[in-house]
Amino acid sequence: MQPGSSPAVAPFLRTAAAYAWRLLVVGTLVYALFALLGRFHEIGVALFLGLVVTALLRPVADVVARGLPRALAVALTMLGSIALVLGVLALVGEAVANERTTLVREFRDGVERIEQWLERPPFRLNPEALSDVQARIGQFLSSHRSTLVSDAVSGAHHLVAVLATLALALFSAVLFIHSGDRQWAWFREQLPVSVRGRAEVGGRAAWRTFTGYTHGIVLVAATNAVLVGVALWLLGVPLAVPLALLEFAAAFIPLIGSPIALAVAAVVALAAEGPLVAAIVIALIVVIGQIEGHVLHPLVMSWAVRLHPLVVAVSVVAGSIAAGFVGAVVAVPLVSVVWSVHSALRAARETDRETARETERALAEEGPEDGQDPSGPRPPDRS
């Protein structure tokens, strides 16, 4: 090495350094994006819910619009859907109200049966310990009454935020259903001409995957809810309809949602009907999990992106860590959409390369024009 010259750097280190600073820039941008989304997460949730409603109701509105004006068809579709949801909630509320007295008595008796069961072998718990736990719970509620009241009051602010989010989701869904295609065309026209083609390919792939996943997960959730509701009704477990609705909502979190909802049903069955019925409900968790994992998802979700179970599990956990319940729900469709867009763009690039190679091959096979020297034009004679 000559004096004053910089030391030689291995090519591997030079390449690693080049990738390292680029990864730092990308990581900083991703972190800033997630921080921005976290600051305005209500807007993101509202738009996501609007897209879910659009994926579910856009086909219905298209059918109704064949005989009615588009605006009237969208209004009838939205009003009918809202009436259906409110009817289901009213049915659940009526079921809870009718079973409230019986449920309180059964729970009181069920708690006593659980205490007696814990006092017998193999647990042999001291009855005074159980009574002490109940006394401590009552003392905790009494001593922290002001804190609980303040939390309830602060929860009213969260209720306002939830209502505002639902209102924005409903408003955006109406606009998406009515003229979502024109909105997408306007957005695409704002992009540079060089990326409009890729944006069109990626956008179509993303929407196709999102609608397929939404339709599939709703069908899977409805099937699980019907199976759970019928099974709990046959077993005589109280609150079968609300528990079935809980199963429907929990099924939107893949892998872990259904077991959690059925665990709640098992606790209700244990308190109301005893250990035998609770054991049957626990066995139901295994059966429904097998049906969902090996029958429903392979059949129903075949039009959406098929992700490996490990990817689904990691996505759900990462989403729950990042944004709680909402993140767990959004994680899998987000990963599916991203992978679908990546696959569509890669396939488009491969198609373009293949087309370019075929064009070059065709030009080479045509050869030179008639009367032209195959060696090409000769330079002028400068002598």
Side-chain angles (χ1 to χ4, degrees):
M1 182 177 63
Q2 298 178 356
S5 61
S6 59
V9 179
F12 170 76
L13 292 179
R14 188 181 297 109
T15 304
Y19 277 105
W21 74 261
R22 289 176 172 86
L23 289 176
L24 289 175
V25 172
V26 172
T28 303
L29 293 177
V30 171
Y31 177 80
L33 176 62
F34 274 92
L36 183 64
L37 292 177
R39 183 66 180 85
F40 301 98
H41 65 278
E42 290 88 356
I43 298 177
V45 171
L47 294 178
F48 174 78
L49 293 177
L51 291 175
V52 170
V53 174
T54 304
L56 293 176
L57 300 184
R58 178 68 182 265
V60 180
D62 291 341
V63 173
V64 178
R66 295 176 182 176
L68 297 174
R70 183 72 183 179
L72 182 59
V74 173
L76 290 177
T77 302
M78 296 299 298
L79 292 176
S81 302
I82 293 174
L84 178 61
V85 172
L86 293 179
V88 172
L89 294 178
L91 176 63
V92 173
E94 183 180 0
V96 173
N98 292 336
E99 298 181 6
R100 182 180 60 182
T101 304
T102 305
L103 184 63
V104 171
R105 184 179 65 254
E106 289 181 349
F107 261 81
R108 187 183 299 112
D109 298 339
V111 171
E112 294 178 357
R113 286 197 301 268
I114 294 174
E115 291 178 353
Q116 295 174 3
W117 179 49
L118 293 176
E119 293 172 4
R120 294 194 297 266
F123 299 100
R124 298 182 182 275
L125 294 180
N126 188 356
E128 297 180 357
L130 298 176
S131 301
D132 185 63
V133 170
Q134 296 179 1
R136 288 180 180 273
I137 293 176
Q139 183 180 2
F140 175 82
L141 294 177
S142 299
S143 60
H144 293 77
R145 183 177 304 171
S146 58
T147 304
L148 296 175
V149 171
S150 63
D151 291 341
V153 172
S154 63
H157 299 285
H158 296 291
L159 179 61
V160 173
V162 169
L163 294 178
T165 301
L166 293 178
L168 179 58
L170 184 63
F171 179 72
S172 60
V174 171
L175 295 180
F176 291 157
I177 296 174
H178 181 265
S179 57
D181 50 352
R182 294 200 299 268
Q183 296 174 26
W184 169 248
W186 176 86
F187 174 77
R188 190 185 58 213
E189 292 299 323
Q190 309 309 310
L191 299 175
V193 179
S194 59
V195 300
R196 290 178 185 175
R198 293 195 296 271
E200 179 67 18
V201 173
R204 290 185 179 275
W207 183 244
R208 182 174 58 251
T209 300
F210 185 81
T211 54
Y213 180 87
T214 303
H215 295 164
I217 199 66
V218 168
L219 186 56
V220 170
T223 305
N224 286 356
V226 171
L227 292 176
V228 170
V230 171
L232 295 179
W233 177 73
L234 293 176
L235 293 173
V237 178
L239 299 178
V241 176
L243 290 174
L245 185 61
L246 176 63
E247 168 64 24
F248 176 82
F252 284 86
I253 304 178
L255 298 181
I256 63 175
S258 293
I260 293 176
L262 289 176
V264 175
V267 173
V268 174
L270 177 63
E273 299 295 332
L276 179 60
V277 177
I280 297 176
V281 174
I282 293 175
L284 186 66
I285 297 176
V286 180
V287 173
I288 291 182
Q290 295 298 318
I291 294 175
E292 179 182 355
H294 295 87
V295 178
L296 293 178
H297 274 284
L299 291 178
V300 176
M301 304 292 287
S302 58
W303 56 76
V305 174
R306 298 284 301 276
L307 298 176
H308 192 276
L310 180 60
V311 177
V312 175
V314 172
S315 301
V316 171
V317 174
S320 62
I321 294 174
F325 174 78
V326 176
V329 174
V330 175
V332 176
L334 178 61
V335 173
S336 300
V337 167
V338 171
W339 179 251
S340 175
V341 171
H342 169 72
S343 301
L345 294 178
R346 183 177 58 186
R349 287 194 298 268
E350 292 295 332
T351 302
D352 294 341
R353 293 194 187 99
E354 185 65 25
T355 302
R357 285 195 292 267
E358 290 180 358
T359 303
E360 293 177 357
R361 191 181 304 112
L363 293 176
E365 291 177 355
E366 289 180 0
E369 297 180 359
D370 295 339
Q372 182 177 352
D373 190 350
S375 60
R378 294 180 180 179
D381 189 5
R382 300 182 181 274
S383 58

